[in-house]
Amino acid sequence: METSATPTHCPYCALQCGMNLTPAPDGGVEVTERADFPVNRGALCGKGRTAPAVLSSRVRLTSPLVRSRDGALRPAGWGEALERVAEGLARARVAHGPDACGVFGGGGLTNEKAYALGKFARIVLGTSQIDYNGRFCMSSAAAAGNAAFGLDRGLPFPLEDVPRTGCVILVGANPAETMPPSLRYFTELRENGGTLIVVDPRRTKTAEQADLHLAPRPGTDLALALGLLHLVVAEGRTDEDYIRRRTTGWEEARAAAMAHWPEYVERITGVSVPQLRQAVRMFCEPESAMVLTARGPEQQSKGTDTVGAWINLCLATGRAGRPLSGYGCLTGQGNGQGGREHGQKADQLPGYRKLTDPEARRHVAEVWGVDPDSLPGPGRSAYELLDALGTDVRALLLMGSNPVVSAPRAAHVEERLRSLDFLAVSDVVLSETAALADVVLPVAQWAEETGTTTSLEGRVLLRRRALAPPAGVRTDLEVLHELAGRLGVEKGFPTDPEEVFDELRRATAGAPADYSGITYRRLAEQNGIFWPCPSENGPADSTTGTRTEARPETGTGTRTEAGTRTDASTNTGTGGSTGTRTGGHPGTPRLFLDRFATGDGRARFAPVSYRAAAEEPDEEYPVLLTTGRVVAQYQSGAQTRRVDELNAAAPGPFVELHPRLAARLGAAEGDPLAVVSRRGRAVAPARITTAIRPDTVFMPFHWPGEGRANTLTNPALDPTSRMPEFKVCAVRLEVVRP
């Protein structure tokens, strides 16, 4: 173990907060403040502070497990375990073809592991059946961003720009609980004279900080955005010069919005016309403004259209591709951004290249040393892949995900996992999904291995190893190397993460998410580098066509081949103590300032209209359910539920409901409530509060068993992003009497 502090990053959310790990007397590590990282400036939430607790052998896996003939999991050696995995995958491939093998990844895997996993699926197994749990998190925002701007990067600007804008509309996000260190940006926004509008059916801790809280009925965010755009047009607040110079498709989008007059939107959403007018005034009167979305509007069967409507609001008012303005997505998972860039998704190759693009296939195949024609085409999206288990997909390799708790219609997904001929899970703990596996492989964690992640800002970061993993534990890269060899591919799967990253750099060169100018050396010297970063050799490198230009309002900038410009001024936070460039292309903190990443450089309006949720309340199921997170737990809880301090703060599931609804049910605080949907039944204690709409109940989704919220949720998919509709479904409630 290192004898001094190791600078690294938190293993949880996409803020990727900076922290130091220092040796502890018991041989482990403890978290200490790292004030030099510009995103969190030393602040950490409870999950970050307690992250080393999961490194303990008391709570984590330290030996492979294999399923014995009596059905129990027993400890085994690595040779036996890896041989069982290779045999299970090979058996399915021989009997049913390559697509009988599936691969399911996770948004917490490092860039190196996500890249290697996608490569393993496509050239070792030859399967198209690979996707990851990030499909459940950011895919609708990604689809809408690609359609509008030609590029998806969660935030096209650094978080440090948020306090300097005039107004932020925060849609379906609760950063006070999901990423607490980020709340300071919204507090500073208001201290600087800006305003905050929060859109959420619940009065969350974030909504309590807002200047205006809009509480729409779940599933109606699309109507709300269209109603605001209608008022922008009706009140003459559009930026016609900007629309003419920098966009296309306005006429169709405007016509669609004008069909959503304020009184109609009020009836749909429950948000009053005066509130709609107030929101438009607050958003349009400052010189700059932003819209930031999270899972609320995205996890819907119309999530892509909903995000597109919020982007339309930015475009119509000239609030995109300008300093201190724009649309952004608050990515959730630790490497949700990088995880979707480098080949885990069913339709993508590294660098955000499209699997259907012949030139993209040629480039990546050349790096991999294979024939482009040998690469399979796009496969199923995450839920569709899980739904096909045991029928079309007979064997599954799963890394870093827990769909038994996190997937919609979770009881059905659990049933499909049980029906597989073979299941192998690589994880750090015995999750509910791992407990179903034929083989469980114990792997190293964040503090025990080096690798890169990409934060919600598009900032590529280096997470450094601070201590060795326990005996009996290997890294995911070692697992893939060993499996590839056993399946006949002896080369191409190195175990050194820097070697994998260097190959990733070559695979992404010239791609939308270009990492080719980023190196471990540069990341070690700087506080992260924003992609695209096409050159190690500086802006004058003739091979990239980059050049520098000075602009008085934002300092010195660099324009890339794609025409996006990045500020290189000292306040960008791109590295070093001042954020100035120390060599090579400086990276791209701010996208789209000169042009968008479309063929003609113009942003595209989305001509969208409101439609209802896939499942609306009726006589049998009269109440709406929405789901989300609490501050002390994370995602499926596989890790945080093993930390005593976090469990003390959030010991179990609950059902949040309004006093009027509780009175109709005859429910008191703490009474066990059964929540029943068309997919199943969950039971949890009542939590009665005026912070939620009377027609809506809320459940956090971190727990398995009787209180599993995702037993209830609807897998209805967005037609573009294939995102399930986690955020709204119809339920009924019953008090469980003794």
Side-chain angles (χ1 to χ4, degrees):
M1 185 178 68
E2 299 288 340
T3 58
S4 59
T6 301
T8 189
H9 296 273
C10 178
Y12 290 113
C13 83
L15 282 182
Q16 287 295 280
C17 291
M19 58 170 61
N20 286 318
L21 295 181
T22 59
D26 62 2
V29 293
E30 60 184 23
V31 170
T32 56
E33 182 177 303
R34 180 185 168 193
D36 70 304
F37 188 60
V39 174
N40 64 307
R41 302 175 231 164
L44 292 168
C45 72
K47 295 185 291 291
R49 286 188 296 98
T50 60
V54 188
L55 299 169
S56 168
S57 58
R58 182 177 63 86
V59 300
R60 54 98 58 89
L61 294 166
T62 57
S63 170
L65 304 174
V66 300
R67 186 79 55 189
S68 61
R69 290 184 178 179
D70 64 3
L73 287 171
R74 62 169 176 81
W78 272 96
E80 179 187 1
L82 290 167
E83 199 61 37
R84 288 271 294 266
V85 177
E87 288 174 356
L89 295 171
R91 196 162 50 243
R93 187 173 57 177
V94 169
H96 305 285
D99 278 356
C101 294
V103 176
F104 199 87
L109 301 181
T110 63
N111 290 320
E112 293 80 359
K113 292 191 278 190
Y115 171 83
L117 189 61
K119 181 181 179 182
F120 178 87
R122 293 182 174 103
I123 72 170
V124 176
L125 299 179
T127 183
S128 66
Q129 301 302 300
I130 174 172
D131 211 78
Y132 84 127
N133 62 15
R135 179 79 66 172
F136 298 157
C137 292
M138 291 75 60
S139 56
S140 291
N146 276 321
F149 308 130
L151 186 69
D152 158 48
R153 197 181 83 187
L155 291 182
F157 41 74
L159 275 168
E160 67 177 35
D161 285 0
V162 170
R164 300 161 58 205
T165 192
C167 177
V168 171
I169 302 180
L170 195 58
V171 188
N174 183 18
E177 296 201 68
T178 58
M179 44 183 66
S182 72
L183 192 63
R184 68 172 59 189
Y185 292 99
F186 303 101
T187 302
E188 291 170 7
L189 165 74
R190 300 182 71 210
E191 291 172 348
N192 292 341
T195 56
L196 175 64
I197 302 170
V198 171
V199 179
D200 199 302
R202 304 167 63 225
R203 188 164 180 79
T204 63
K205 292 181 180 179
T206 304
E208 290 173 355
Q209 308 298 313
D211 298 281
L212 177 63
H213 173 214
L214 306 179
R217 184 174 178 268
T220 64
D221 312 79
L222 175 54
L224 179 63
L226 289 164
L228 295 178
L229 183 54
H230 176 110
L231 285 171
V232 165
V233 175
E235 295 178 4
R237 297 181 183 272
T238 56
D239 187 332
E240 296 296 329
D241 179 64
Y242 174 94
I243 291 170
R244 183 173 57 257
R245 290 186 300 106
R246 299 204 60 187
T247 73
T248 62
W250 171 230
E251 294 301 324
E252 296 85 352
R254 179 175 61 185
M258 296 314 288
H260 298 77
W261 58 95
E263 292 77 11
Y264 172 57
V265 170
E266 181 182 70
R267 289 198 302 272
I268 293 171
T269 65
V271 177
S272 70
V273 172
Q275 284 186 309
L276 295 173
R277 294 188 185 278
Q278 183 182 0
V280 167
R281 184 171 63 253
M282 291 169 64
F283 185 71
C284 292
E285 287 183 353
E287 291 187 5
S288 59
M290 299 174 178
V291 172
L292 304 178
T293 68
R295 307 300 82 76
E298 299 163 18
Q299 288 182 326
Q300 298 184 30
S301 60
K302 53 184 182 297
T304 302
D305 285 358
T306 302
V307 174
W310 288 105
I311 292 174
N312 285 352
L313 184 66
C314 292
L315 296 177
T317 54
R319 307 304 178 88
R322 283 180 167 172
L324 307 181
S325 289
Y327 163 77
C329 162
L330 296 178
T331 300
Q333 294 195 73
N335 197 31
Q337 181 70 53
R340 68 182 184 260
E341 295 168 2
H342 299 307
Q344 282 192 101
K345 285 184 76 174
D347 54 353
Q348 287 179 194
L349 288 169
Y352 232 134
R353 287 186 154 100
K354 294 180 180 178
L355 194 52
T356 54
D357 178 359
E359 177 54 28
R361 294 170 66 88
R362 184 206 62 77
H363 178 93
V364 174
E366 183 176 347
V367 172
W368 289 352
V370 298
D371 184 343
D373 292 338
S374 70
L375 298 178
R380 293 176 172 88
S381 70
Y383 180 77
E384 292 166 303
L385 173 56
L386 294 171
D387 190 41
L389 300 181
T391 54
D392 295 336
V393 178
R394 309 299 289 267
L396 182 70
L397 173 64
L398 187 147
M399 280 191 167
S401 184
N402 188 18
V404 165
V405 178
S406 64
R409 197 186 174 196
H412 172 73
V413 169
E414 180 176 349
E415 177 187 311
R416 301 321 309 151
L417 285 160
R418 292 181 183 277
S419 73
L420 283 164
D421 295 343
F422 181 80
L423 172 63
V425 174
S426 175
D427 211 332
V428 299
V429 296
L430 189 65
S431 70
E432 288 72 24
T433 304
L436 304 180
D438 297 284
V439 178
V440 183
L441 303 175
V443 290
Q445 297 185 54
W446 58 289
E448 300 164 347
E449 57 183 352
T450 294
T452 63
T453 62
T454 306
S455 76
L456 80 170
E457 302 176 297
R459 189 194 301 249
V460 185
L461 302 165
L462 184 64
R463 284 206 313 219
R464 298 167 174 86
R465 170 171 156 154
L467 74 167
V473 169
R474 299 189 183 181
T475 69
D476 285 306
L477 293 180
E478 290 171 334
V479 167
L480 293 174
H481 171 84
E482 292 287 344
L483 290 177
R486 283 170 165 78
L487 291 167
V489 179
E490 301 292 339
K491 296 181 179 180
F493 289 89
T495 60
D496 175 27
E498 186 170 8
E499 188 177 346
V500 177
F501 189 77
D502 284 341
E503 183 179 303
L504 179 155
R505 293 171 56 216
R506 296 194 302 275
T508 66
D514 190 334
Y515 282 38
S516 59
I518 303 173
T519 65
Y520 270 34
R521 177 189 58 78
R522 292 186 68 191
L523 292 175
E525 294 170 353
Q526 303 177 46
N527 269 325
I529 298 172
F530 295 80
W531 69 258
C533 181
S535 173
E536 281 187 78
N537 301 316
D541 184 350
S542 61
T543 63
T544 64
T546 59
R547 62 183 177 86
T548 60
E549 64 177 29
R551 288 210 170 176
E553 77 274 20
T554 52
T556 301
T558 300
R559 182 178 296 188
T560 69
E561 277 187 306
T564 58
R565 180 167 60 79
T566 170
D567 295 338
S569 56
T570 58
N571 67 351
T572 61
T574 55
S577 60
T578 64
T580 56
R581 184 169 59 82
T582 58
H585 187 285
T588 312
R590 296 171 180 86
L591 296 168
F592 314 138
L593 294 181
D594 290 309
R595 55 179 280 130
F596 296 98
T598 56
D600 59 6
R602 294 170 175 263
R604 311 301 198 233
F605 279 97
V608 296
S609 296
Y610 174 70
R611 63 182 186 275
E615 185 176 84
E616 291 288 335
D618 56 23
E619 286 188 11
E620 188 175 2
Y621 301 97
V623 177
L624 290 166
L625 168 71
T626 191
T627 63
R629 289 169 49 189
V630 297
V631 66
Q633 300 289 353
Y634 182 73
Q635 304 298 71
S636 75
Q639 296 180 57
T640 52
R641 286 187 278 109
R642 287 166 168 79
V643 179
D644 293 341
E645 180 179 330
L646 300 179
N647 283 332
F654 57 87
V655 182
E656 186 178 278
L657 72 163
H658 192 275
R660 294 213 302 264
L661 179 56
R664 289 204 303 272
L665 294 168
E669 181 76 15
D671 279 352
L673 285 183
V675 185
V676 184
S677 78
R678 290 178 172 85
R679 288 152 296 280
R681 181 177 188 267
V683 178
R687 182 174 293 183
I688 301 172
T689 174
T690 58
I692 193 167
R693 292 172 54 97
D695 59 2
T696 301
V697 295
F698 166 83
M699 289 187 72
F701 57 75
H702 309 291
W703 288 274
E706 187 179 51
R708 181 174 59 186
N710 277 320
T711 297
L712 309 167
T713 49
N714 190 354
L717 300 180
D718 180 289
T720 302
S721 68
R722 316 309 287 169
M723 167 77 85
E725 192 155 56
F726 287 97
K727 287 303 181 189
V728 53
C729 69
V731 298
R732 68 171 183 266
L733 280 77
E734 304 162 354
V735 179
V736 179
R737 304 297 182 189

